[in-house]
Amino acid sequence: MCVTWPGVITAATLASSDAADLALAPELLAGQTGWALGDGAYWSPRLRDDLAMQGLALLAPPRGAAAKAGGWPHWLVQTRRRIETVLSQLTERYQAKRTWARDLWHLTAQWLRKLVSHTMALRCQHSDLSSLAFAKLITA
């Protein structure tokens, strides 16, 4: 998932649970520029170099003992916490781990509803409205 600072999900890739994050990263980050923040699953010098040629700096901590040796600056830790909060909201409030469907069409539709609902609730929050005040959000 790509998440902007206020917590808006701007891109997502739906994959099977046995797919590695590192294998999906090029697809998810294609066309992005600037910098991207990932967890230890995205640490790869080769991926970092490939993305750098496209104009994207990948910030991902190394795995294992090397990760504990150096810390991230406070602002980067806060940014990572925002991403974790969005993922937690999808898991707990939207039951993301309990999404079952018999075919890809229904699975995709369920995920899109979850993502749109999260975006609308976030938009209401930033407009100082109740999370269920969709009518006021549209007329504002």
Side-chain angles (χ1 to χ4, degrees), residues 95-115:
Q95 289 86 32
K97 289 186 178 183
R98 295 184 185 104
T99 304
W100 291 288
R102 293 186 181 199
D103 56 38
L104 183 60
W105 190 91
H106 286 95
L107 179 64
T108 303
Q110 288 177 12
W111 265 99
L112 288 175
R113 282 194 307 270
K114 291 173 192 294
L115 296 178

Side-chain angles (χ1 to χ4, degrees), residues 3-76:
V3 179
T4 62
W5 169 246
V8 177
I9 301 167
T10 59
T13 299
L14 188 59
S16 65
S17 60
D18 62 347
D21 291 342
L22 194 55
L24 296 173
E27 177 186 344
L28 184 62
L29 298 172
Q32 302 289 331
T33 58
W35 59 275
L37 181 60
D39 61 12
Y42 290 94
W43 186 80
S44 166
R46 182 177 175 191
L47 175 64
R48 186 185 63 225
D49 294 344
D50 290 346
L51 292 173
M53 288 190 297
Q54 299 173 17
L56 180 67
L58 177 62
L59 305 173
R63 289 176 263 185
K68 296 175 184 166
W72 280 2
H74 180 70
W75 68 272
L76 203 52

Side-chain angles (χ1 to χ4, degrees), residues 120-133 136-137 140:
M120 291 296 287
L122 191 64
R123 181 71 177 114
C124 283
Q125 179 186 17
H126 286 282
S127 298
D128 293 325
L129 298 171
S130 156
S131 4
L132 298 176
K136 290 180 183 176
L137 180 65

